[in-house]
Amino acid sequence: TMQSSGHRFRDVEHHLLLADNDSYDSSSSSSEADMADRVWFIRDGCGMVCAIMTWLLVVYADFVVTFVMLLPSKDFWYSVINGVLFNCLAVLALSSHLRTMLTDPGAVPKGNATKEYMDNLQLKPGEVIYKCPKCCSIKPERAHHCSICKRCIRKMDHHCPWVNNCVGEKNQRFFVLFTMYIALISAHALVLCGFQFFSCVRGQWTECSDFSPPVTVILMIFLCLEGFLFLTFTAVMFGTQIHSICNDETEIERLKSEKPTWERRLRWEGMKSVFGGQPSLLWINPFAGFRIRRLLLRGKKGGPEFSV
């Protein structure tokens, strides 16, 4: 324990006393404005492989649904309606995935545990603040250190390799949308496979698909397995996330049985806090808040990636 400026400074991992809205001073190594102009990306081999696999599996499902089941169908409106619906869900799912992966989950700036920064906090004499010994940052309340991101993350729920990022305060909404849209697209694919098998068996596989019957069966069986596994996994994850939001408790806090030192929000207040404002279609829109102009300016500036 070190004594400095009338307050105590401790190297610990838990029991945090700083509020979530405490910000990093502009005199530190990088300001909030600079961080907002950089792209967040985690250079983790396993996470990048899992993220690519996620995209490939969605693309495979889209290929089978579109070219094996819908385009060969003689029912024009059946093909059009289901094709538009499936592809829209696929775009929303992949967009949610991208925003989860490329959004800063709420990382605490590295190395902000300096004497100058602590003096700017204007702490009362004897007040205890806590430092993470791994990334040398002052830890806000409910923040946890991620060994993969190598940062302390505000309201960290868990690190998900499928999105190659932590799920935390700033990107939990996009992760919830990702699980929801993947669950919907998986259910839709399973329903379409059921109709396709029924029509193919009834028509004795004649003019069922542009592919040969064995190839068609193999492609559809693999899609069914993929759809069932993804539906089960994402539906459970979606339900877990909604439960955590309503209880104002992260998965880490639940697993560690941490006693809340914060005032828990009511269920509806928790939902509004994560998804933003009153209920509207913006809640299920992964593009909400996305600024193309800022992204173009980043490209022109050629700024470095905010990678860890």
Side-chain angles (χ1 to χ4, degrees):
T1 304
M2 297 182 292
Q3 300 287 339
S4 175
S5 303
H7 57 264
R8 290 173 289 167
F9 189 33
R10 295 181 177 175
D11 291 344
V12 294
E13 280 296 317
H14 310 293
H15 308 300
L16 318 167
L17 297 182
L18 290 184
D20 284 343
N21 56 4
D22 287 337
S23 58
Y24 190 25
D25 185 72
S26 58
S27 61
S28 304
S29 59
S30 63
S31 65
E32 294 287 350
D34 292 334
M35 292 167 63
D37 288 334
R38 298 179 184 177
V39 176
W40 175 272
F41 183 75
I42 303 299
R43 294 178 181 175
D44 175 57
C46 177
M48 289 187 283
V49 170
C50 290
I52 292 172
M53 284 180 57
T54 301
W55 275 68
L56 291 178
L57 288 170
V58 173
V59 170
Y60 170 80
D62 190 64
F63 168 78
V64 175
V65 168
T66 303
F67 293 98
V68 177
M69 293 191 281
L70 296 182
L71 287 182
S73 175
K74 295 180 180 179
D75 191 332
F76 175 77
W77 288 111
Y78 172 83
S79 299
V80 169
I81 293 174
N82 283 287
V84 170
L85 178 60
F86 190 89
N87 281 277
C88 284
L89 289 174
V91 169
L92 291 170
L94 294 179
S95 300
S96 301
H97 181 272
L98 270 181
R99 295 213 67 181
T100 307
M101 181 171 62
L102 302 179
T103 298
D104 176 359
V108 179
K110 282 184 178 179
N112 68 345
T114 63
K115 184 178 183 301
E116 293 77 14
Y117 179 55
M118 287 186 287
D119 290 340
N120 289 330
L121 290 177
Q122 298 180 348
L123 298 170
K124 299 177 181 178
E127 187 173 353
V128 181
I129 57 177
Y130 294 95
K131 169 189 172 184
C132 174
K134 297 178 181 177
C135 60
C136 295
S137 62
I138 295 177
K139 295 178 68 174
E141 187 177 31
R142 305 183 69 184
H144 291 272
H145 185 88
C146 175
S147 59
I148 299 175
C149 295
K150 299 176 182 177
R151 301 291 286 273
C152 285
I153 308 296
R154 296 175 185 267
K155 289 184 67 176
M156 176 181 169
D157 188 85
H158 68 287
H159 184 95
C160 179
W162 294 104
V163 297
N164 189 33
N165 202 0
C166 275
V167 177
E169 183 178 67
K170 295 183 179 179
N171 69 345
Q172 187 176 25
R173 168 175 171 261
F174 302 122
F175 181 74
V176 172
L177 293 182
F178 168 66
T179 58
M180 181 183 75
Y181 286 123
I182 289 294
L184 290 176
I185 199 176
S186 300
H188 191 194
L190 289 174
V191 171
L192 291 176
C193 282
F195 278 114
Q196 187 72 8
F197 273 118
F198 178 76
S199 61
C200 288
V201 170
R202 188 178 59 180
Q204 303 199 0
W205 299 93
T206 58
E207 300 180 358
C208 177
S209 173
D210 293 336
F211 296 85
S212 63
V215 173
T216 301
V217 171
I218 292 174
L219 291 174
M220 290 175 58
I221 288 177
F222 188 80
L223 178 60
C224 286
L225 292 175
E226 177 192 344
F228 177 76
L229 291 175
F230 268 72
L231 174 61
T232 304
F233 174 76
T234 55
V236 170
M237 185 60 69
F238 175 78
T240 301
Q241 287 293 301
I242 295 297
H243 180 266
S244 296
I245 293 171
C246 290
N247 288 342
D248 195 13
E249 180 182 50
T250 66
E251 188 66 15
I252 291 179
E253 291 164 350
R254 187 185 68 81
L255 292 175
K256 292 185 176 182
S257 300
E258 294 184 3
K259 295 181 179 180
T261 57
W262 62 95
E263 185 178 350
R264 286 189 173 180
R265 296 186 179 96
L266 298 175
R267 293 186 177 183
W268 199 241
E269 292 299 320
M271 292 290 289
K272 288 193 290 185
S273 173
V274 171
F275 290 92
Q278 296 297 325
S280 69
L281 291 177
L282 293 177
W283 278 25
I284 59 174
N285 179 14
F287 301 102
F290 181 70
R291 299 177 182 178
I292 298 180
R293 183 179 179 183
R294 174 180 290 183
L295 189 63
L296 293 175
L297 288 175
R298 287 177 188 166
K300 291 180 181 179
K301 291 178 181 178
E305 288 186 341
F306 185 34
S307 55
V308 218

